Amino acid sequence: MARSERQLGEHSGQGLSEDSRQALRGLPAIHLILDRLSSIGSAELIAPAVLADAARETLDGARARILGGDSTPTCVNRLAEEALELARRRHVPFHQRVINATGIVLHTNLGRAPLPQSAIDAACAVARYSNLEFDLDTGKRGRRLGGVGPLVARLMGAEAGTAVNNCAGATVLVLRALCGGREVVVSRGQLVEIGGSFRLPEIFKVAGVKLVEVGSTNITRVEDYAAAITPDTAALLRVHTANYRITGHAEMPGVESLGELARQRGILFVDDVGSGALQTARRREFEGEPDPRAGLAAGAHITLMSGDKLLGGPQSGLIAGNADLVRKVEKDPLFRALRLDKMTLAALEATLRIHLDPERAWREIPALAMLGASGDELRKRANTWASLLTAIPGVESVSVVQDQSPVGGGSFPGKDQPTWVVTIRAVGRSDEELSSALRRQSPPIICRVQEGHVLVDPRTVAPSEEAEFLAAVKCALAGK
Ligand SMILES: *Cc1c(COP(=O)(O)O)cnc(C)c1O
């Protein structure tokens, strides 16, 4: 077919060759494809609406192919098969469990902290009816935060505690409820952007609070804060510089001096610790993550912390501080909009309960156990994997090397953890091809890719997932 004729054909169907016209006429009606589908047993499990969409799209695709110059006749059986394949792909749930072999413990794209088993059980147990807002003693309406609130207070060392959907939400809520319409002073060195859409100046705008920036990116002194306080100032805000570090010639006042200044001037001190490290999560190698207790002890009126970073629980934002302020926060209409659901509350409560016992926390909270894994342990596991994988057909090379992995979730910036990884090369396949084959396994395996090799890190693969993991790697290497 001449080029000009084809272009015309794409627009109007005019000027098509006789073959193409015949092919168009030969396309079956949609109900014939659907009839064909209904005779295929496995299609029964797929919702009729999904099958109908797939049949329509397949037919549209066939029509477009013909208009594009491909006049191969299309039979109803082939179209039905194509539609079924499409419908099957759509039928696979979007949300799936994956095995995280990246070594990045708090991988935001992979759902951050993997939950402790008791938190998973707790969430499942309340998935039906539960006493979410029902007092089992009195038979009357109860407090939704009755379980989590006191635990947050206890663990963060505050008078009262509560929780909402996430820490970003907690920041907006606290600023709005406690400082709405007034000024809040922040250091220029702390005007952070976390994960693309959490920009502090925008958060301020949403909260209806006037941002007063003080100091410079690397140096802010307590006098800078003091000079910025006016009768309209509601609070000083400290934000932990979560995913970056300002190093070299840098100075920021400590929580003690900010607490003292806020007290003298009769304004609030709000401390956003971000990832935060509770007493239970404090170890020498994790220095640098702020302790929410330290801020509160130094005079912070309200402290905010994320639930799915070093706490190792479900996505949530913890708020702790003076009882009257926490009450005010809970009365704000935004609190209702950001409230936690029953499954998250149950999982969060279970996670917080584990934190009451530091030894249990390091054992039972997967994120902590993974971060606490020793180099020897990781090397041993990497060696075992390597020896099992070398023997597989399709492998070009396997080796165990020392490497670094970031913690993720904006925790410990600039402090990657030393780790041991297995590097794999497959015969005749690029690193991208092999990692894509790993992602197509069930469950999908997510790895790192570096300089032509695929890297898998034992740190984030739970021992209970190991057999499944190795079987999937074997399949991917065998080209399945
Ligand atoms: C991560 C982080 C947040 C946002 O927390 P989410 O729970 O992800 O909303 C806010 N502030 C700081 C300092 C953080 O590190």
Side-chain angles (χ1 to χ4, degrees):
M1 196 188 344
R3 194 199 168 102
S4 60
E5 201 181 44
R6 183 141 106 205
Q7 280 168 346
L8 229 188
E10 275 170 10
H11 294 293
S12 61
Q14 296 289 310
L16 284 172
S17 70
E18 190 46 43
D19 282 353
S20 303
R21 244 173 278 196
Q22 216 159 19
L24 275 182
R25 277 197 298 272
L27 281 176
I30 190 159
H31 73 88
L32 293 176
I33 301 179
L34 288 172
D35 284 351
R36 183 90 221 111
L37 280 174
S38 64
S39 70
I40 305 174
S42 62
E44 261 171 30
L45 302 168
I46 304 174
V50 174
L51 287 174
D53 284 351
R56 193 171 308 111
E57 277 173 52
T58 304
L59 206 49
D60 288 348
R63 191 172 297 117
R65 274 201 301 273
I66 296 168
L67 291 173
D70 176 359
S71 54
T72 329
T74 28
C75 68
V76 71
N77 281 353
R78 227 197 69 203
L79 290 173
E81 268 165 34
E82 207 180 306
L84 183 59
E85 189 46 43
L86 184 63
R88 275 206 189 110
R89 279 204 302 275
R90 300 256 170 86
H91 188 64
V92 172
F94 176 86
H95 293 285
Q96 300 177 48
R97 177 171 78 95
V98 304
I99 291 181
N100 174 8
T102 65
I104 303 167
V105 175
L106 300 173
H107 198 307
T108 300
N109 299 353
L110 302 183
R112 286 214 188 134
L115 293 186
Q117 190 56 48
S118 65
I120 295 172
D121 295 344
C124 290
V126 299
R128 296 185 177 202
Y129 289 122
S130 77
N131 61 337
L132 180 64
E133 276 184 26
F134 184 82
D135 188 323
L136 290 172
D137 289 331
T138 62
K140 299 215 169 73
R141 183 176 176 165
R143 274 198 66 209
R144 176 180 275 260
L145 268 296
V148 162
L151 282 165
V152 169
R154 167 98 199 266
L155 288 163
M156 288 172 73
E159 233 173 64
T162 191
V164 289
N165 182 56
N166 57 20
C167 192
T171 312
V172 179
L173 170 63
V174 163
L175 289 176
R176 195 185 113 103
L178 305 180
C179 314
R182 299 178 65 202
E183 293 174 357
V184 173
V185 185
V186 190
S187 159
R188 287 202 171 84
Q190 298 176 354
L191 288 176
V192 293
E193 165 166 333
I194 298 155
S197 51
F198 184 84
R199 270 200 181 159
L200 218 49
E202 280 149 29
I203 294 271
F204 272 68
K205 228 178 267 167
V206 174
V209 169
K210 185 156 177 276
L211 168 64
V212 179
E213 301 174 27
V214 295
S216 62
T217 306
N218 60 332
I219 309 248
T220 308
R221 301 197 173 87
V222 71
E223 300 86 71
D224 296 323
Y225 286 89
I229 298 173
T230 71
D232 216 25
T233 305
L236 308 178
L237 172 67
R238 182 185 80 140
V239 183
H240 176 53
T241 54
N243 41 9
Y244 66 102
R245 278 270 183 278
I246 297 171
T247 51
H249 186 51
E251 194 180 323
M252 287 288 156
V255 278
E256 290 77 13
S257 36
L258 290 180
E260 179 58 29
L261 177 62
R263 191 161 43 241
Q264 279 171 7
R265 308 292 287 268
I267 57 175
L268 298 179
F269 171 28
V270 178
D271 192 19
D272 173 7
V273 299
S275 183
L278 292 179
Q279 263 349 88
T280 35
R282 304 206 73 74
R283 278 195 178 178
R284 202 155 39 83
E285 55 270 44
F286 299 150
E287 264 168 20
E289 278 306 318
D291 175 359
R293 273 173 184 274
L296 285 160
H301 297 87
I302 286 278
T303 293
L304 314 171
M305 178 174 159
S306 211
D308 54 356
K309 294 185 183 172
L310 285 182
L311 189 82
Q315 181 192 304
S316 48
L318 315 187
I319 302 170
N322 297 5
D324 51 342
L325 296 176
V326 170
R327 215 172 302 127
K328 204 166 165 194
V329 164
E330 287 186 331
K331 288 217 171 89
D332 192 279
L334 198 55
F335 180 78
R336 168 66 180 80
L338 294 172
R339 82 179 179 191
L340 287 169
D341 68 285
K342 59 185 175 183
M343 294 176 75
T344 306
L345 278 167
L348 180 57
E349 182 188 342
T351 309
L352 292 169
R353 279 189 192 284
I354 303 176
H355 276 284
L356 290 172
D357 177 350
E359 268 184 38
R360 245 189 95 195
W362 282 95
R363 229 181 16 246
E364 291 181 28
I365 295 179
L368 291 182
M370 287 168 180
L371 289 168
S374 72
D376 276 351
E377 207 178 308
L378 293 169
R379 185 169 50 176
K380 222 181 267 166
R381 286 179 68 199
N383 279 326
T384 311
W385 289 7
S387 62
L388 291 168
L389 294 174
T390 348
I392 298 172
V395 171
E396 184 181 304
S397 67
V398 169
S399 52
V400 173
V401 297
Q402 196 163 21
D403 197 55
Q404 301 280 325
S405 55
V407 173
S411 307
F412 317 110
K415 269 203 188 169
D416 291 355
Q417 287 198 302
T419 194
W420 293 87
V421 298
V422 180
T423 73
I424 311 170
R425 261 171 105 105
V427 180
R429 287 152 95 195
S430 71
D431 50 4
E432 286 299 339
E433 281 165 344
L434 180 57
S435 68
S436 153
L438 286 165
R439 287 196 304 275
R440 284 195 306 272
Q441 300 301 313
S442 175
I445 311 287
I446 316 299
C447 62
R448 278 194 283 151
V449 168
Q450 207 167 287
E451 291 160 13
H453 290 83
V454 155
L455 265 58
V456 289
D457 187 330
R459 186 187 296 277
T460 45
V461 177
S464 61
E465 294 174 316
E466 208 160 88
E468 205 177 15
F469 165 75
L470 290 167
V473 175
K474 279 182 201 170
C475 273
L477 280 166
K480 285 180 207 144

